[in-house]
Amino acid sequence: MGAVGAKRLPETDGLLRDFGARVREMRRQQGLTQVELAEISGLHRVTVAKIETGQLDVQLSTVHRLAGGMGVPLSELLRS
């Protein structure tokens, strides 16, 4: 598992949706648009949109960039 094109487990889809919802919630609380968050995090707006909709299985380094862009601890984005 973990290879490119490998199927995700069903529970992973829920995890990604929950994480994306958390990113969206925190972004909105900070009054940021997807474009603004993308710019300050060094990501593309489409990447932020895919994360927020649970379509992208992100790397830890990307989570770190999002947290830095919003000025929150990494643990805040990862909490349940």
Side-chain angles (χ1 to χ4, degrees):
M1 287 297 228
V4 174
K7 287 191 138 196
R8 289 196 307 236
L9 299 172
E11 55 269 20
T12 302
D13 289 336
L15 179 68
L16 295 176
R17 279 192 304 274
D18 291 347
F19 176 73
R22 180 79 181 125
V23 170
R24 181 184 304 112
E25 173 189 348
M26 292 186 73
R27 174 182 60 78
R28 288 178 175 170
Q29 286 176 353
Q30 299 221 359
L32 297 171
T33 66
Q34 287 182 344
V35 171
E36 291 168 332
L37 177 57
E39 287 176 355
I40 60 178
S41 300
L43 301 169
H44 193 280
R45 187 209 55 86
V46 173
T47 300
V48 173
K50 286 183 177 182
I51 291 169
E52 288 188 358
T53 56
Q55 297 176 33
L56 187 64
D57 194 348
V58 297
Q59 295 180 351
L60 186 56
S61 59
T62 302
V63 177
H64 185 261
R65 291 166 80 172
L66 288 168
M70 289 190 276
V72 299
L74 183 66
S75 60
E76 185 69 17
L77 275 181
L78 297 175
R79 74 177 175 87
S80 310

